[in-house]
Amino acid sequence: MSQSLPTSGYWPSAWPAEDAGPWRQQVASGAFAGVETGDPYVVSRDAHGATMVVRRELGEVFLHGHSVGGERSVQTSWVERIDPATLETLSRVDELPGGSAWPGGIAAHADGSLIVVFGNHAHRLNTNLEVEVSAELPRDRPYNSFVVLPDGHIVTKDFGGRLPGADESFVTENCEVLVLAPTTFEIVARVELPEPSIARLSADGNTIYVVGDHSLFRVMWNGTSLELDATFAPRYRTIEGQTYGWDAVLALGAAWFLDNGGGSENYVGTFRGQGISPAPLHLVRVDLETAAVSLTEICGLPNGMVANPPLIDERRMIAVGFDSANGVLSAFDIDADGSTSPRWSVEQNHGSHMILDSTSGLFLSAHHDNERWMEQFVVRELASGREVVRLDSGSPLQSVVFPAAGEGRTVYACSFSTVSALSW
């Protein structure tokens, strides 16, 4: 896979969707140019329920989130267009029908529209934030975001697992992958998986990867129908005390993700100390050709937990994983055969997705100061782990959602309380 992301189904901006595209490589070349010699500063404001920022045209920055409080099964979502520098709300649409609360997603579609999925609803907005189409999705549970295929079709699935605050046990029903027409949200194809799935979808062209609660699955789109690859279902969950995996990064001929998601529903403003998995947390690698599975321990401690993906630098052959419950961030060298070896490790309460500047070799992580109840932007050098920037983000809550690369010298971060911008 090259450094050029397959974003033909997306608007041609540097960050049109979560993780910058369906490979989930979280790459923005040049994102941290000049940060070491600049004068970094942070702007932040309240944004309750904020999940992610995406970009469309130059100067167009959109913030997506959902309602907070009240009955969790009847939450709504919202979208704002914000000023790229001040974060001021320029326009907003509220109370988009949703459903059970779990972070959804927004993307700038190649046809110019904004697509939103939250709860069991999908919405198509124009850039004035006027609703053009809304549709209720078939299952009464959250659909945790989506990917856009090269031909513009939208692929989403329902959420397995356990919802925060829910009294019922883990949802054990198999999940269903849907393909939606982008202009009407008509369901044009569907396939049921053999397992529940908590993770978000990833895709390489017309091939969709789904991390189930025990196995990785591959689903192919041929332009009219979906087919589950019956020859590909590698099982990654093989150790007693190991729990389910999260979103997969597609890089270097493999799917890379982190396991031990059990306990993430117990988020209390931080993930520190919330793990419930007796087995150590792993960086999981699944070879996309051979289906071989390898597991690398992040720190070897029990009761680890994450809710997000690792970072994979294809250029430097380095992986970064983390354990949010134990407060460890670790990097590993990747050999030509895909095997890994430890490179560096630091104590850091990281919980969110990340951003990689593949040019400079710097990356954005975060640290939640549990004593001050303050989240921090932390920029590190990938090769050494050296800390380059550390500044308070303004959020009292640990971010467990999505940052984004902005125009020029700006990156954004969201938590469920705050939207922040680090500039220099």
Side-chain angles (χ1 to χ4, degrees), residues 357-378:
D357 179 349
S358 57
T359 303
S360 68
L362 302 179
F363 73 99
L364 177 70
S365 60
H367 172 72
H368 188 254
D369 184 330
N370 290 336
E371 294 184 359
R372 294 191 301 128
W373 278 91
M374 176 55 61
E375 181 84 331
Q376 296 178 314
F377 287 101
V378 182

Side-chain angles (χ1 to χ4, degrees), residues 11-16 28-33 41 53-62 81-85 87 90 355 404-412 421-424:
W11 192 260
S13 78
W15 209 274
S29 294
F32 297 110
Y41 63 95
V53 163
V54 298
R55 290 166 50 199
R56 189 177 167 279
E57 284 288 345
L58 205 62
E60 289 185 337
V61 178
F62 296 94
R81 182 177 173 185
I82 62 174
D83 185 281
L87 309 183
L90 303 179
I355 298 175
E407 299 169 14
R409 299 182 171 190
T410 300
V411 293
Y412 302 101
L422 170 67
S423 303
W424 56 95

Side-chain angles (χ1 to χ4, degrees), residues 71-377:
E71 176 57 50
R72 290 194 60 86
S73 64
V74 289
Q75 298 297 304
T76 60
S77 65
W78 51 263
V79 179
E80 293 183 354
R81 182 177 173 185
I82 62 174
D83 185 281
T86 68
L87 309 183
E88 175 189 0
T89 302
L90 303 179
S91 57
R92 178 175 169 117
V93 59
D94 255 317
E95 297 188 354
L96 296 171
S100 295
W102 187 264
I106 184 173
H109 195 278
D111 66 12
S113 66
L114 298 170
I115 305 297
V116 174
V117 172
F118 172 77
N120 64 336
H121 284 77
H123 307 280
R124 176 186 168 95
L125 312 178
N126 61 29
T127 54
N128 293 322
L129 304 187
E130 297 165 331
V131 178
E132 296 181 337
V133 179
S134 291
E136 183 175 346
L137 301 174
R139 294 190 173 183
D140 186 18
R141 63 179 71 158
Y143 284 71
N144 54 333
S145 199
F146 60 97
V147 294
V148 183
L149 299 177
D151 66 4
H153 281 87
I154 296 155
V155 185
T156 187
K157 70 159 186 66
D158 54 313
F159 173 87
R162 182 180 290 113
L163 295 174
D167 294 330
E168 67 269 17
S169 61
F170 191 93
V171 174
T172 57
E173 293 180 37
N174 296 342
C175 288
E176 182 183 53
V177 178
L178 303 177
V179 177
L180 309 178
T183 55
T184 65
F185 295 144
E186 174 192 2
I187 298 172
V188 297
R190 61 205 308 167
V191 65
E192 185 169 298
L193 301 175
E195 294 177 4
S197 171
I198 296 88
R200 293 175 179 236
L201 301 171
S202 306
D204 180 17
N206 288 324
T207 304
I208 301 136
Y209 290 92
V210 192
V211 179
D213 74 337
H214 282 78
S215 310
L216 178 68
F217 299 102
R218 180 158 61 199
V219 182
M220 280 83 71
W221 166 247
N222 65 11
T224 58
S225 63
L226 281 177
E227 181 180 355
L228 179 66
D229 185 349
T231 69
F232 185 91
R235 192 176 181 88
Y236 67 87
R237 193 167 161 185
T238 56
I239 299 173
E240 185 177 355
Q242 181 187 20
T243 55
Y244 59 82
W246 283 98
D247 318 345
V249 179
L250 305 181
L252 299 172
W256 304 78
F257 54 95
L258 298 165
D259 64 2
N260 284 8
S264 56
E265 69 277 5
N266 298 326
Y267 174 73
V268 290
T270 175
F271 276 152
R272 189 65 192 258
Q274 298 303 306
I276 61 171
S277 307
L281 193 150
H282 301 91
L283 172 66
V284 182
R285 178 189 182 272
V286 180
D287 191 291
L288 298 182
E289 182 176 351
T290 68
V293 177
S294 59
L295 303 177
T296 301
E297 290 185 358
I298 295 299
C299 61
L301 299 174
N303 300 317
M305 186 265 287
V306 297
N308 287 311
L311 197 65
I312 307 297
D313 187 337
E314 293 190 310
R315 180 181 300 186
R316 294 167 184 82
M317 300 287 284
I318 297 174
V320 178
F322 54 98
D323 180 336
S324 300
N326 286 310
V328 178
L329 183 73
S330 299
F332 303 88
D333 288 309
I334 304 170
D335 294 333
D337 64 358
S339 60
T340 59
S341 55
R343 187 178 183 96
W344 55 260
S345 185
V346 296
E347 294 185 8
Q348 185 173 323
N349 294 331
H350 175 83
S352 65
H353 294 236
M354 296 179 268
I355 298 175
L356 169 64
D357 179 349
S358 57
T359 303
S360 68
L362 302 179
F363 73 99
L364 177 70
S365 60
H367 172 72
H368 188 254
D369 184 330
N370 290 336
E371 294 184 359
R372 294 191 301 128
W373 278 91
M374 176 55 61
E375 181 84 331
Q376 296 178 314
F377 287 101

Side-chain angles (χ1 to χ4, degrees), residues 4-19:
S4 178
L5 290 174
T7 55
S8 61
Y10 297 88
W11 192 260
S13 78
W15 209 274
E18 59 196 53
D19 295 331

